[in-house]
Amino acid sequence: MANLNASTNTDAKSNTKTNRIKLASFNLFNYIEPPLAYYDFENIYSAEQWQKKQGWLADFLAQHQPDIIGLQEVFSAPALAEQMHAAGYEHVAVVGEPTVIDDYICRDPVVALASKFPLTEVAAIEAEPEYIHALGLNPNFAYSRKPLRVTVLLPQIGLCDIYVVHFKSKRPHLDELPQPKFVQPKFTQAANSASAAPLVNFGELLGRNSLGLWASSIQRGSEAALLFNTMLQRRIETNHPMVLMGDFNEELTSSVLSPLTNREQRFEKEGLGQLANFPLTDAYKLFLQGLQDLFCVEAADKNLDDVAVEEELMLAKARASRAPTHYYGATGNVLDYILLSADFDPSFDNSIAEVCDYHTEDRHLVNPSFERDSQSSDHAPVICTIRSRS
C-alpha cells in the first residue's frame, strides 16, 4: 500500500482571477534533512548546508512563483511539506517512502507535487501485472521510482490529471548479471607476491557495461510505455486534461521514450479521427509553435506600438533557444520535461488552453556562484506557463 500524504483543503487562497497557470518541474538532488544520509554514511548535510539547500529552493519559488511544481529526489517528505506550506503551497502530495538502511542511510528517493490549487485525488501508479507479462518482463518488475498522479482543480480549466515521474537513470544496471571473471597478471618480479591483485579483463568490463546500459534502457523504456498506457486508460475514463512532468533521464527524441509522444499515422489512415485526443506534446514545442503564430501576427500588424507587448515578444524570443537541464562533463542534455495533452494545443479543435511561456532556470549550472549555488541541484528546473483560452 502506497504511503500517500496529501493536503486536500478546498479553501485555496490561490489567485483564480488570472487566466495563467505556471507549472514547474524540479529535481531537487538529494533533498534530505540531517542527520539522515543519502546512499552512504558520509553523505550527511551540515546544518549550514541544509539551510542553504532549503534556501535555494525558497529563492527559486519566490522568484518564479510556480502555481504547481513536481519534485524529484525527495528523501525528507515531512521537511519538504513544511517548507512548501511556508511558501504558500497549501496542498502537497507525496507517493511512497525512501528505503532506510541502518536507521539513517537512505536510498530510493520519491517524487512529490506541491500546488496552490486544491487536490481532489492522489494515487500511486503501479505497473499492471497483465501488461508486465505481455511485455515479457520479469514478474517482479516495478517502477524504479513510483510515479505519482494528482488530480488538481485548476481555475477556468477544471479537473486536470498531473503525473510526476523520475524514470530509471542511465547508470548501468548490473545487479542481475553474472559475476565478472578475472585474469591473473603476467608473472613479473613486481607481481611475484601472494598479495598481487588480479586484473580485470577489460573486454569483459566493456561487455558488462554495455549489457548494464541496455538493462537500464529496457527499464526506462518499459516505465515510459506502461505509464503512458495507464494515462490513456485514465483519459478514456475521465477525459481530464493531462500533464506529465519530471526527470526523464533521457532525451525525449530517443527511441526509448518514443511511446510518450507516439502519433501512429496508420490509425489516421484508417479514419480514426479520435486519435488527436490522446497523444502528449512537449510543452516547449507548443511554446515554439505559439511564438511562430505570434510573430506572424506581429509582422502583419503595422500599428503594433504597445510597449508591454513588444517587451513580452522580446523575452519570448530570448527563451526560444532551449537550454540543457543537465550536464555530464561538458556535454549538456535536456532530461527534464513537461508534456501536455491536446487540451493545451491550439491546433486541436477542443483545446482549452495554450502555452505562452517556457523557461529553463540554468544559471546555477552555466554561471554558478559557490555562495549562492553550492547546495542547489545538478538539474535545471523547467517552467511552463499555460493560458486559458476561455
Side-chain angles (χ1 to χ4, degrees):
M1 187 72 177
N3 176 25
L4 300 179
N5 189 1
S7 168
T8 56
N9 175 17
T10 57
D11 297 328
K13 299 179 181 178
S14 302
N15 182 10
T16 59
K17 295 181 180 180
T18 179
N19 67 340
R20 300 192 180 197
I21 299 170
K22 188 176 288 187
L23 309 172
S25 179
F26 189 8
N27 183 321
L28 294 175
F29 190 50
N30 300 324
Y31 186 94
I32 186 167
E33 184 177 22
L36 295 176
Y38 56 94
Y39 303 117
D40 189 88
F41 70 93
E42 294 181 347
N43 295 329
I44 302 175
Y45 294 130
S46 66
E48 180 183 3
Q49 289 173 322
W50 176 238
Q51 184 179 16
K52 290 183 71 174
K53 184 80 174 174
Q54 289 194 302
W56 203 97
L57 175 57
D59 290 343
F60 169 80
L61 296 173
Q63 179 180 355
H64 297 284
Q65 299 187 12
D67 297 297
I68 297 172
I69 182 169
L71 302 155
Q72 304 90 46
E73 291 205 23
V74 177
F75 285 105
S76 297
L80 177 65
E82 182 178 353
Q83 178 172 5
M84 299 307 295
H85 288 153
Y89 296 83
E90 297 185 19
H91 314 280
V92 178
V94 180
V95 57
E97 295 179 341
T99 302
V100 181
I101 305 170
D102 295 333
D103 297 328
Y104 73 99
I105 300 174
C106 299
R107 58 181 179 84
D108 305 321
V110 300
V111 301
L113 179 138
S115 172
K116 295 180 180 179
F117 304 118
L119 314 182
T120 64
E121 187 177 355
V122 176
I125 303 297
E126 305 278 358
E128 300 174 79
E130 60 267 33
Y131 293 111
I132 292 174
H133 175 74
L135 293 178
L137 299 173
N138 187 312
N140 297 322
F141 176 92
Y143 289 102
S144 54
R145 293 101 169 178
K146 194 171 296 183
L148 167 68
R149 173 176 57 79
V150 180
T151 303
V152 184
L153 183 60
L154 299 179
Q156 301 187 37
I157 291 178
L159 296 177
C160 178
D161 288 333
I162 300 180
Y163 297 79
V164 184
V165 297
H166 188 180
F167 291 139
K168 176 71 177 70
S169 71
K170 289 186 176 181
R171 187 176 299 107
H173 186 64
L174 305 173
D175 295 348
E176 303 299 326
L177 296 181
Q179 290 299 311
K181 300 175 183 179
F182 299 94
V183 293
Q184 295 294 333
K186 292 182 179 180
F187 182 83
T188 64
Q189 186 174 1
N192 188 13
S193 168
S195 62
L199 295 178
V200 174
N201 183 319
F202 285 95
E204 182 179 46
L205 185 63
L206 179 61
R208 285 173 55 81
N209 187 71
S210 298
L211 291 171
L213 288 171
W214 182 241
S216 293
S217 295
I218 292 173
Q219 174 75 26
R220 188 164 55 258
S222 299
E223 290 178 354
L226 288 166
L227 175 62
F228 186 55
N229 181 68
T230 299
M231 293 176 66
L232 293 185
Q233 295 300 316
R234 171 77 175 180
R235 174 78 161 180
I236 293 169
E237 293 174 3
T238 67
N239 203 34
H240 290 167
M242 300 184 295
V243 176
L244 172 61
M245 63 170 70
D247 177 1
F248 289 12
N249 267 313
E250 182 90 56
E251 295 272 1
L252 189 59
T253 54
S254 74
S255 59
V256 173
L257 295 184
S258 61
L260 294 175
T261 55
N262 182 40
R263 284 167 168 76
E264 185 53 74
Q265 294 182 350
R266 61 181 174 145
F267 293 161
E268 293 286 4
K269 293 178 181 179
E270 294 172 3
L272 301 182
Q274 294 296 320
L275 179 65
N277 191 44
F278 297 102
L280 296 172
T281 304
D282 185 357
Y284 177 75
K285 181 178 179 180
L286 293 175
F287 171 58
L288 288 186
Q289 181 58 51
L291 284 184
Q292 292 175 3
D293 296 342
L294 195 60
F295 293 160
C296 289
V297 172
E298 178 191 21
D301 189 353
K302 305 301 182 181
N303 298 318
L304 184 63
D305 56 0
D306 188 328
V307 175
V309 172
E310 289 181 349
E311 290 180 349
E312 186 171 344
L313 284 171
M314 290 177 63
L315 177 61
K317 290 178 182 178
R319 292 182 175 178
S321 179
R322 191 173 210 170
T325 66
H326 183 268
Y327 287 85
Y328 185 76
T331 303
N333 297 284
V334 180
L335 303 182
D336 302 80
Y337 294 91
I338 299 174
L339 306 185
L340 303 173
S341 61
D343 308 88
F344 305 96
D345 182 353
S347 66
F348 179 55
D349 291 341
N350 297 323
S351 67
I352 56 178
E354 60 190 355
V355 178
C356 61
D357 194 19
Y358 192 98
H359 175 57
T360 301
E361 181 52 53
D362 64 347
R363 181 180 64 173
H364 63 293
L365 299 182
V366 298
N367 187 27
S369 163
F370 179 83
E371 181 60 31
R372 182 189 63 223
D373 303 319
S374 61
Q375 300 300 325
S376 54
S377 176
D378 61 344
H379 283 249
V382 291
I383 308 151
C384 162
T385 303
I386 59 176
R387 176 170 52 207
S388 170
R389 306 179 72 197
S390 60

